[in-house]
Amino acid sequence: MKVFLDTAELTEIERAAEAGLIDGITTNPSLMASAAGEGSPVEHFARICQLVDGPISAEVVATDAEGMVEEGTRLAGLHDNIVVKVPLTEDGLRACRRLSGNGIPVNVTLCFSANQAMLAAKAGATYISPFVGRLDDVGQNGMEVVAQIREIYDEYGVETQILAASLRHPRHVLQAMLIGADCATLPPKVLYQLLKHPLTDQGLERFLADWKTLGQEL
Ligand code: G3P
């Protein structure tokens, strides 16, 4: 499974990329608003592309298909790794069809049902992003939607990749992997939660204490 970092914070991106923990980046307008500050968003995307060699999802903010295609085409021109992110609206799917027809990979975001995911696939989406945590927030089972999409895509041989998004804790990540999501995007906090285990820390402490009794350098 591909692991993407769901952030636009350059220090977080650099940290995870240098450790080899991530395959790409996803952003959204909210993440860009908190990370890009006063600077140009386009330059910020370009900087992200310098830090990670993998798919970088950059979201449009126009709401009409024409505007989305125009913004998406400009974003895609920044770097070969840019994936244009469009919302799952009728205009978003029109834009998806046109952008993907022009060879630009598209991530269709704000997906909350398997029926929506089927339509995004028809429109030529490279990735579909079901928002697990936000469905859980309203009392539904977000992971069930991921499982339904997996079943439907497999049944009909759909190549669109499932990108599990809005993942809030390590259990979400584990469930997404077991269901067979192609990718998961994680906020930095969740990425480092996956890494940590108290027994690892205790074990290392013990090894180092035992080594010290040798009184030797390595
Ligand atoms: O990738 C989508 C993600 O950023 C949404 O996460 O936690 O705001 O629902 P969240």
Side-chain angles (χ1 to χ4, degrees), residues 111-161:
C111 171
F112 294 95
S113 77
N115 284 335
Q116 287 182 315
M118 181 271 289
L119 293 176
K122 287 242 171 265
T126 307
Y127 302 97
I128 182 72
S129 291
F131 275 29
V132 175
R134 291 195 194 182
L135 278 165
D136 291 356
D137 288 345
V138 295
Q140 294 185 34
N141 183 346
M143 208 48 79
E144 199 171 291
V145 172
V146 177
Q148 288 170 349
I149 300 170
R150 179 74 285 155
E151 197 177 331
I152 291 164
Y153 279 9
D154 286 349
E155 176 71 23
Y156 294 99
V158 172
E159 285 180 8
T160 301
Q161 295 181 48

Short mmCIF file of all heavy atoms in Angstrom, two decimals, residues 111-161:
data_model
loop_
_atom_site.label_atom_id
_atom_site.label_comp_id
_atom_site.label_asym_id
_atom_site.label_seq_id
_atom_site.Cartn_x
_atom_site.Cartn_y
_atom_site.Cartn_z
N CYS A 111 -15.29 12.11 -1.25
CA CYS A 111 -16.15 10.97 -1.60
C CYS A 111 -16.71 10.37 -0.31
O CYS A 111 -15.95 10.06 0.61
CB CYS A 111 -15.33 9.92 -2.36
SG CYS A 111 -16.24 8.37 -2.59
N PHE A 112 -18.03 10.22 -0.27
CA PHE A 112 -18.67 9.70 0.94
C PHE A 112 -19.56 8.48 0.67
O PHE A 112 -20.26 8.05 1.57
CB PHE A 112 -19.47 10.82 1.62
CG PHE A 112 -18.57 11.92 2.15
CD1 PHE A 112 -18.33 13.06 1.39
CD2 PHE A 112 -17.92 11.78 3.37
CE1 PHE A 112 -17.47 14.06 1.86
CE2 PHE A 112 -17.06 12.77 3.84
CZ PHE A 112 -16.84 13.91 3.09
N SER A 113 -19.54 7.97 -0.56
CA SER A 113 -20.33 6.76 -0.83
C SER A 113 -19.72 5.96 -1.97
O SER A 113 -18.98 6.51 -2.80
CB SER A 113 -21.79 7.12 -1.19
OG SER A 113 -21.85 7.59 -2.53
N ALA A 114 -20.05 4.68 -1.99
CA ALA A 114 -19.54 3.80 -3.06
C ALA A 114 -20.15 4.20 -4.40
O ALA A 114 -19.51 4.07 -5.44
CB ALA A 114 -19.85 2.34 -2.72
N ASN A 115 -21.39 4.68 -4.40
CA ASN A 115 -22.00 5.12 -5.65
C ASN A 115 -21.22 6.30 -6.24
O ASN A 115 -20.98 6.36 -7.46
CB ASN A 115 -23.46 5.55 -5.43
CG ASN A 115 -24.38 4.34 -5.27
OD1 ASN A 115 -24.06 3.26 -5.76
ND2 ASN A 115 -25.49 4.54 -4.60
N GLN A 116 -20.83 7.23 -5.39
CA GLN A 116 -20.01 8.37 -5.87
C GLN A 116 -18.69 7.84 -6.45
O GLN A 116 -18.22 8.33 -7.48
CB GLN A 116 -19.70 9.32 -4.72
CG GLN A 116 -20.86 10.17 -4.25
CD GLN A 116 -20.42 11.11 -3.13
OE1 GLN A 116 -19.72 10.71 -2.19
NE2 GLN A 116 -20.83 12.36 -3.21
N ALA A 117 -18.12 6.84 -5.78
CA ALA A 117 -16.82 6.31 -6.23
C ALA A 117 -16.94 5.64 -7.59
O ALA A 117 -16.02 5.71 -8.42
CB ALA A 117 -16.29 5.31 -5.20
N MET A 118 -18.09 5.01 -7.83
CA MET A 118 -18.31 4.37 -9.14
C MET A 118 -18.35 5.45 -10.23
O MET A 118 -17.76 5.30 -11.31
CB MET A 118 -19.61 3.57 -9.06
CG MET A 118 -20.00 2.82 -10.31
SD MET A 118 -20.99 3.82 -11.42
CE MET A 118 -22.53 3.91 -10.52
N LEU A 119 -19.01 6.58 -9.95
CA LEU A 119 -19.10 7.65 -10.95
C LEU A 119 -17.73 8.30 -11.20
O LEU A 119 -17.40 8.63 -12.34
CB LEU A 119 -20.12 8.71 -10.52
CG LEU A 119 -21.58 8.23 -10.49
CD1 LEU A 119 -22.49 9.33 -9.96
CD2 LEU A 119 -22.03 7.79 -11.89
N ALA A 120 -16.95 8.45 -10.14
CA ALA A 120 -15.60 9.03 -10.30
C ALA A 120 -14.75 8.14 -11.21
O ALA A 120 -14.00 8.62 -12.07
CB ALA A 120 -14.94 9.20 -8.94
N ALA A 121 -14.89 6.82 -11.03
CA ALA A 121 -14.14 5.89 -11.88
C ALA A 121 -14.56 6.05 -13.34
O ALA A 121 -13.74 6.08 -14.25
CB ALA A 121 -14.36 4.46 -11.40
N LYS A 122 -15.86 6.19 -13.55
CA LYS A 122 -16.37 6.38 -14.93
C LYS A 122 -15.78 7.63 -15.56
O LYS A 122 -15.55 7.69 -16.76
CB LYS A 122 -17.89 6.57 -14.91
CG LYS A 122 -18.66 5.33 -14.63
CD LYS A 122 -19.56 4.98 -15.81
CE LYS A 122 -20.17 3.62 -15.66
NZ LYS A 122 -19.42 2.57 -16.32
N ALA A 123 -15.56 8.65 -14.72
CA ALA A 123 -15.04 9.93 -15.23
C ALA A 123 -13.51 9.88 -15.42
O ALA A 123 -12.91 10.89 -15.78
CB ALA A 123 -15.42 11.07 -14.30
N GLY A 124 -12.92 8.72 -15.13
CA GLY A 124 -11.48 8.56 -15.42
C GLY A 124 -10.55 8.91 -14.28
O GLY A 124 -9.36 9.16 -14.49
N ALA A 125 -11.09 8.91 -13.03
CA ALA A 125 -10.23 9.25 -11.88
C ALA A 125 -9.06 8.27 -11.74
O ALA A 125 -9.25 7.06 -11.90
CB ALA A 125 -11.06 9.23 -10.60
N THR A 126 -7.90 8.80 -11.43
CA THR A 126 -6.74 7.94 -11.12
C THR A 126 -6.87 7.47 -9.67
O THR A 126 -6.55 6.33 -9.34
CB THR A 126 -5.42 8.73 -11.27
OG1 THR A 126 -5.40 9.31 -12.57
CG2 THR A 126 -4.21 7.83 -11.10
N TYR A 127 -7.32 8.37 -8.80
CA TYR A 127 -7.51 8.06 -7.37
C TYR A 127 -8.91 8.50 -6.95
O TYR A 127 -9.40 9.53 -7.43
CB TYR A 127 -6.53 8.84 -6.49
CG TYR A 127 -5.07 8.60 -6.79
CD1 TYR A 127 -4.36 9.47 -7.60
CD2 TYR A 127 -4.39 7.51 -6.22
CE1 TYR A 127 -3.00 9.26 -7.87
CE2 TYR A 127 -3.04 7.31 -6.49
CZ TYR A 127 -2.35 8.18 -7.31
OH TYR A 127 -1.02 7.98 -7.58
N ILE A 128 -9.50 7.73 -6.03
CA ILE A 128 -10.73 8.17 -5.37
C ILE A 128 -10.43 8.27 -3.88
O ILE A 128 -9.82 7.37 -3.31
CB ILE A 128 -11.91 7.20 -5.64
CG1 ILE A 128 -13.20 7.70 -4.98
CG2 ILE A 128 -11.63 5.78 -5.15
CD1 ILE A 128 -13.79 8.90 -5.64
N SER A 129 -10.84 9.39 -3.27
CA SER A 129 -10.54 9.61 -1.85
C SER A 129 -11.79 9.55 -0.98
O SER A 129 -12.46 10.58 -0.77
CB SER A 129 -9.87 10.97 -1.66
OG SER A 129 -8.58 10.97 -2.23
N PRO A 130 -12.13 8.36 -0.45
CA PRO A 130 -13.22 8.30 0.53
C PRO A 130 -12.73 8.85 1.88
O PRO A 130 -11.65 8.50 2.33
CB PRO A 130 -13.54 6.80 0.62
CG PRO A 130 -12.33 6.10 0.11
CD PRO A 130 -11.57 7.04 -0.77
N PHE A 131 -13.55 9.71 2.51
CA PHE A 131 -13.19 10.37 3.77
C PHE A 131 -13.75 9.56 4.94
O PHE A 131 -14.91 9.73 5.34
CB PHE A 131 -13.77 11.78 3.80
CG PHE A 131 -12.92 12.83 3.14
CD1 PHE A 131 -12.07 12.52 2.09
CD2 PHE A 131 -12.96 14.14 3.58
CE1 PHE A 131 -11.28 13.49 1.49
CE2 PHE A 131 -12.18 15.12 2.99
CZ PHE A 131 -11.34 14.79 1.93
N VAL A 132 -12.93 8.71 5.48
CA VAL A 132 -13.37 7.78 6.53
C VAL A 132 -13.77 8.50 7.82
O VAL A 132 -14.88 8.32 8.34
CB VAL A 132 -12.24 6.76 6.80
CG1 VAL A 132 -12.61 5.85 7.97
CG2 VAL A 132 -11.95 5.94 5.55
N GLY A 133 -12.87 9.33 8.35
CA GLY A 133 -13.12 9.97 9.65
C GLY A 133 -14.35 10.86 9.64
O GLY A 133 -15.10 10.90 10.61
N ARG A 134 -14.56 11.56 8.52
CA ARG A 134 -15.71 12.48 8.50
C ARG A 134 -17.04 11.72 8.47
O ARG A 134 -18.06 12.22 8.94
CB ARG A 134 -15.60 13.45 7.31
CG ARG A 134 -14.45 14.42 7.52
CD ARG A 134 -14.49 15.60 6.61
NE ARG A 134 -13.20 16.27 6.65
CZ ARG A 134 -12.91 17.38 6.00
NH1 ARG A 134 -13.82 17.95 5.24
NH2 ARG A 134 -11.70 17.92 6.09
N LEU A 135 -17.03 10.51 7.88
CA LEU A 135 -18.25 9.68 7.94
C LEU A 135 -18.44 9.17 9.37
O LEU A 135 -19.56 9.19 9.89
CB LEU A 135 -18.14 8.50 6.96
CG LEU A 135 -18.49 8.84 5.52
CD1 LEU A 135 -18.02 7.74 4.57
CD2 LEU A 135 -19.99 9.05 5.35
N ASP A 136 -17.35 8.73 10.01
CA ASP A 136 -17.45 8.30 11.41
C ASP A 136 -18.00 9.44 12.27
O ASP A 136 -18.81 9.22 13.17
CB ASP A 136 -16.07 7.89 11.96
CG ASP A 136 -15.54 6.59 11.34
OD1 ASP A 136 -16.27 5.96 10.54
OD2 ASP A 136 -14.39 6.22 11.65
N ASP A 137 -17.54 10.67 11.96
CA ASP A 137 -17.98 11.85 12.75
C ASP A 137 -19.49 12.02 12.76
O ASP A 137 -20.05 12.56 13.70
CB ASP A 137 -17.40 13.15 12.15
CG ASP A 137 -15.91 13.29 12.39
OD1 ASP A 137 -15.36 12.57 13.24
OD2 ASP A 137 -15.29 14.15 11.72
N VAL A 138 -20.16 11.60 11.65
CA VAL A 138 -21.62 11.79 11.60
C VAL A 138 -22.36 10.48 11.90
O VAL A 138 -23.52 10.29 11.52
CB VAL A 138 -22.09 12.39 10.25
CG1 VAL A 138 -21.54 13.80 10.08
CG2 VAL A 138 -21.72 11.51 9.06
N GLY A 139 -21.65 9.56 12.57
CA GLY A 139 -22.30 8.33 13.05
C GLY A 139 -22.39 7.23 12.03
O GLY A 139 -23.07 6.23 12.24
N GLN A 140 -21.69 7.38 10.87
CA GLN A 140 -21.69 6.29 9.89
C GLN A 140 -20.37 5.54 9.99
O GLN A 140 -19.46 5.97 10.70
CB GLN A 140 -21.89 6.85 8.50
CG GLN A 140 -23.27 7.47 8.34
CD GLN A 140 -23.53 7.92 6.92
OE1 GLN A 140 -23.07 7.32 5.96
NE2 GLN A 140 -24.26 9.00 6.79
N ASN A 141 -20.28 4.41 9.25
CA ASN A 141 -19.05 3.61 9.30
C ASN A 141 -18.23 3.90 8.04
O ASN A 141 -18.47 3.34 6.98
CB ASN A 141 -19.44 2.13 9.40
CG ASN A 141 -18.22 1.24 9.53
OD1 ASN A 141 -17.09 1.68 9.28
ND2 ASN A 141 -18.44 -0.01 9.90
N GLY A 142 -17.26 4.81 8.19
CA GLY A 142 -16.47 5.23 7.03
C GLY A 142 -15.73 4.08 6.37
O GLY A 142 -15.62 4.02 5.14
N MET A 143 -15.23 3.16 7.19
CA MET A 143 -14.42 2.08 6.61
C MET A 143 -15.28 1.12 5.78
O MET A 143 -14.80 0.47 4.86
CB MET A 143 -13.70 1.34 7.74
CG MET A 143 -12.41 0.71 7.35
SD MET A 143 -11.25 1.76 6.42
CE MET A 143 -10.52 2.75 7.71
N GLU A 144 -16.57 1.06 6.12
CA GLU A 144 -17.48 0.21 5.35
C GLU A 144 -17.56 0.73 3.90
O GLU A 144 -17.65 -0.07 2.96
CB GLU A 144 -18.86 0.25 6.00
CG GLU A 144 -19.75 -0.91 5.59
CD GLU A 144 -20.99 -0.89 6.45
OE1 GLU A 144 -20.88 -1.17 7.66
OE2 GLU A 144 -22.07 -0.56 5.90
N VAL A 145 -17.52 2.03 3.74
CA VAL A 145 -17.55 2.61 2.38
C VAL A 145 -16.28 2.22 1.62
O VAL A 145 -16.34 1.85 0.44
CB VAL A 145 -17.72 4.15 2.44
CG1 VAL A 145 -17.55 4.78 1.07
CG2 VAL A 145 -19.09 4.49 3.02
N VAL A 146 -15.13 2.23 2.30
CA VAL A 146 -13.89 1.81 1.64
C VAL A 146 -14.01 0.34 1.20
O VAL A 146 -13.65 -0.01 0.06
CB VAL A 146 -12.67 1.98 2.59
CG1 VAL A 146 -11.39 1.48 1.93
CG2 VAL A 146 -12.51 3.44 3.01
N ALA A 147 -14.57 -0.49 2.07
CA ALA A 147 -14.72 -1.92 1.75
C ALA A 147 -15.68 -2.11 0.56
O ALA A 147 -15.43 -2.93 -0.34
CB ALA A 147 -15.24 -2.69 2.97
N GLN A 148 -16.76 -1.33 0.54
CA GLN A 148 -17.72 -1.44 -0.58
C GLN A 148 -17.05 -1.03 -1.90
O GLN A 148 -17.23 -1.68 -2.93
CB GLN A 148 -18.93 -0.54 -0.33
CG GLN A 148 -19.86 -1.04 0.75
CD GLN A 148 -20.91 -0.01 1.14
OE1 GLN A 148 -20.84 1.16 0.76
NE2 GLN A 148 -21.89 -0.44 1.91
N ILE A 149 -16.27 0.05 -1.84
CA ILE A 149 -15.62 0.51 -3.08
C ILE A 149 -14.64 -0.58 -3.57
O ILE A 149 -14.58 -0.90 -4.76
CB ILE A 149 -14.87 1.85 -2.86
CG1 ILE A 149 -15.83 2.95 -2.41
CG2 ILE A 149 -14.15 2.29 -4.13
CD1 ILE A 149 -15.14 4.24 -1.95
N ARG A 150 -13.88 -1.17 -2.61
CA ARG A 150 -12.93 -2.23 -2.99
C ARG A 150 -13.66 -3.36 -3.72
O ARG A 150 -13.22 -3.85 -4.76
CB ARG A 150 -12.22 -2.74 -1.73
CG ARG A 150 -11.20 -3.86 -1.89
CD ARG A 150 -9.88 -3.41 -2.51
NE ARG A 150 -9.95 -3.17 -3.94
CZ ARG A 150 -9.15 -2.35 -4.61
NH1 ARG A 150 -8.19 -1.70 -4.02
NH2 ARG A 150 -9.28 -2.19 -5.90
N GLU A 151 -14.81 -3.78 -3.13
CA GLU A 151 -15.56 -4.90 -3.69
C GLU A 151 -16.07 -4.56 -5.10
O GLU A 151 -15.94 -5.34 -6.04
CB GLU A 151 -16.74 -5.22 -2.76
CG GLU A 151 -17.34 -6.58 -3.02
CD GLU A 151 -18.45 -6.90 -2.03
OE1 GLU A 151 -18.41 -6.40 -0.87
OE2 GLU A 151 -19.37 -7.63 -2.44
N ILE A 152 -16.61 -3.35 -5.24
CA ILE A 152 -17.17 -2.95 -6.53
C ILE A 152 -16.07 -2.78 -7.58
O ILE A 152 -16.19 -3.28 -8.71
CB ILE A 152 -17.97 -1.63 -6.36
CG1 ILE A 152 -19.23 -1.90 -5.53
CG2 ILE A 152 -18.34 -1.02 -7.72
CD1 ILE A 152 -19.88 -0.66 -4.97
N TYR A 153 -14.99 -2.13 -7.22
CA TYR A 153 -13.90 -1.94 -8.19
C TYR A 153 -13.33 -3.30 -8.63
O TYR A 153 -13.00 -3.50 -9.79
CB TYR A 153 -12.79 -1.06 -7.59
CG TYR A 153 -13.05 0.45 -7.61
CD1 TYR A 153 -14.29 0.98 -7.98
CD2 TYR A 153 -12.04 1.34 -7.26
CE1 TYR A 153 -14.50 2.36 -8.00
CE2 TYR A 153 -12.25 2.72 -7.28
CZ TYR A 153 -13.48 3.22 -7.65
OH TYR A 153 -13.68 4.59 -7.67
N ASP A 154 -13.19 -4.22 -7.67
CA ASP A 154 -12.65 -5.54 -8.02
C ASP A 154 -13.63 -6.30 -8.93
O ASP A 154 -13.24 -6.92 -9.91
CB ASP A 154 -12.36 -6.37 -6.76
CG ASP A 154 -11.11 -5.86 -6.05
OD1 ASP A 154 -10.38 -5.03 -6.62
OD2 ASP A 154 -10.86 -6.30 -4.91
N GLU A 155 -14.90 -6.21 -8.58
CA GLU A 155 -15.93 -6.93 -9.33
C GLU A 155 -15.95 -6.50 -10.80
O GLU A 155 -16.10 -7.31 -11.70
CB GLU A 155 -17.30 -6.65 -8.67
CG GLU A 155 -18.51 -7.25 -9.38
CD GLU A 155 -18.59 -8.76 -9.25
OE1 GLU A 155 -18.00 -9.30 -8.29
OE2 GLU A 155 -19.22 -9.39 -10.13
N TYR A 156 -15.76 -5.18 -11.02
CA TYR A 156 -15.87 -4.67 -12.39
C TYR A 156 -14.52 -4.33 -13.03
O TYR A 156 -14.48 -3.72 -14.10
CB TYR A 156 -16.81 -3.44 -12.41
CG TYR A 156 -18.23 -3.84 -12.05
CD1 TYR A 156 -18.72 -3.65 -10.78
CD2 TYR A 156 -19.06 -4.45 -12.99
CE1 TYR A 156 -20.00 -4.05 -10.43
CE2 TYR A 156 -20.33 -4.85 -12.66
CZ TYR A 156 -20.81 -4.65 -11.38
OH TYR A 156 -22.08 -5.05 -11.06
N GLY A 157 -13.45 -4.73 -12.37
CA GLY A 157 -12.12 -4.51 -12.95
C GLY A 157 -11.77 -3.04 -13.11
O GLY A 157 -11.10 -2.65 -14.07
N VAL A 158 -12.21 -2.21 -12.16
CA VAL A 158 -11.93 -0.77 -12.22
C VAL A 158 -10.49 -0.51 -11.77
O VAL A 158 -10.05 -1.05 -10.75
CB VAL A 158 -12.91 0.00 -11.31
CG1 VAL A 158 -12.52 1.46 -11.20
CG2 VAL A 158 -14.33 -0.14 -11.84
N GLU A 159 -9.78 0.33 -12.53
CA GLU A 159 -8.37 0.56 -12.19
C GLU A 159 -8.13 1.76 -11.28
O GLU A 159 -7.02 1.97 -10.79
CB GLU A 159 -7.54 0.71 -13.46
CG GLU A 159 -7.35 -0.66 -14.11
CD GLU A 159 -6.54 -0.62 -15.37
OE1 GLU A 159 -5.99 0.44 -15.70
OE2 GLU A 159 -6.49 -1.67 -16.04
N THR A 160 -9.16 2.57 -11.06
CA THR A 160 -9.01 3.73 -10.16
C THR A 160 -8.50 3.24 -8.80
O THR A 160 -8.98 2.24 -8.27
CB THR A 160 -10.39 4.42 -9.98
OG1 THR A 160 -10.84 4.83 -11.26
CG2 THR A 160 -10.30 5.62 -9.05
N GLN A 161 -7.50 3.96 -8.27
CA GLN A 161 -6.93 3.53 -7.00
C GLN A 161 -7.69 4.13 -5.82
O GLN A 161 -8.02 5.31 -5.83
CB GLN A 161 -5.46 3.96 -6.91
CG GLN A 161 -4.60 3.26 -7.96
CD GLN A 161 -3.15 3.69 -7.85
OE1 GLN A 161 -2.57 3.70 -6.78
NE2 GLN A 161 -2.57 4.04 -8.98
#
